[in-house]
Amino acid sequence: MKIAVIGCGYVGLVTGACLANDGHHVVCIDNQKEKIDILLNNKIPIYEPGLEDIISNNLINGKLSFELNIDNAASNAEVIFIAVGTPTDEETGNADLTQIYNCTRELAGVLKENALVIVKSTVPVGTCDEIENILNEKNKHQNFKVLSNPEFLREGNAIYDFENPDRIIIGSDEDNIRDVVKEIYKGRKNEQKIVFTSRRSSELIKYASNSMLAMRIIFINEIADLCERVGADITDVAKGIGLDKRIGPYFLEPGPGFGGSCFPKDARALIESGKKYGAPQTLLESVIKGNESRKKNLSKKISEILDIPSENKIGVLGVTFKAETDDMREAPSLSILPDLTNIGLNISVYDPAGMEEATKLIKNVKWVENSYEVANDASCIIILTDWQEFKDLDLNKIKNAMKRPLIYDFRNIYNPDNMKKLGFEYYSVGRG
Ligand SMILES: NC(=O)c1ccc[n+]([C@@H]2O[C@H](COP(=O)([O-])OP(=O)(O)OC[C@H]3O[C@@H](n4cnc5c(N)ncnc54)[C@H](O)[C@@H]3O)[C@@H](O)[C@H]2O)c1
């Protein structure tokens, strides 16, 4: 099948690469020339484990190509995926659909007969209707179809998630596209888990899923705070809760608050949809408030407990919104690091994948090459993401390098008893 994917970000690149790997002919399009240049040079513009190899193999075998212009690339495609960004509109809290409508306008007029336009981007209810209207106005063939097919992959596990989806949601009001969609996704392990819904239900499923996960995170964070006050242990509490089949064990890990390109923006957009249609999402409103105040209070929490003189050096491990990605969007580090530098602390920072992007966003800190450099002469180390490489550190070496062996671990990556034995002053989340 001839497929075009618009948007070479985390979702578009993974979608394009995996479909090319299945044997489809895929062209991935992005209007950022730097991105296309990097891709044509056999490199990738993002960090995503496993992706570079798949892209490289499929470039070589001719199944995958990259283009700057939609009209060149999309006019031959039977299927066009839209995977452009839908960031928060900072003024309204709504999803900013500029990228969606811009690329739709570019697409209008070049669609081939019977083309399927599949919207992978996360978009508010009714957006596919609007896309269809724009295409209807401008395209010479009127027999194209617009479907909603939200993506659920997690950065850092994106290839696995794309190959092994829990479900594939297809929102379409047309029955006769089912075979085509099955053909596109035929290589997937859970092929049988294709769920056909209306377009509007499909659009809403994505927002409701992300918002539900965000809600669980804020819930467990608040229970963790209570654990700290009453001397309970969140690890045991979460295990006890999660063994209930009705609840399940996932997304019950406390931390510094959620960030990333999806949860905050999708929860905000759902709140705005609720307002627009007169169905207030009050629970989500408090989730967003709770999360924002958690991120704001991180530095306060550290300075209250640790009483570190401002001239001291501290170290930070991890700045991206989670491990195994270079994505800095809405990362907790963007709140905590400026607050700590404002106190006047000297801060050394290391991240395995995010430093290139982070250096553009976080100023007045020293970027170093590894965790041991972070530890050098530090009076405290703060852990903000749970990379395996942090879990595997030689903690004796870390302790010996530090001025004061004090760790504030916002991801609970170490065992508190072990840390005590090793001679650390160790603080974590919700563990007494
Ligand atoms: N990142 C995730 O983990 C994830 C997971 C599931 C769903 N989503 C959703 O998928 C969508 C894409 O997310 P992302 O993280 O891949 O975004 P991204 O910002 O990483 O990538 C979007 C890309 O689209 C390109 N683009 C924008 N307008 C264009 C145009 N007119 N023509 C060609 N290219 C254009 C941009 O240059 C950019 O490279 C969003 O709606 C997001 O909510 C993201």
Side-chain angles (χ1 to χ4, degrees), residues 9-11 30-32 35 86 99 122 151 155 265 329:
Y10 293 85
V11 169
D30 204 288
N31 60 2
Q32 284 185 36
K35 278 199 178 176
T86 50
Q99 295 181 37
T122 303
E151 182 51 58
E155 287 173 21
K265 89 167 168 64
R329 289 177 278 189

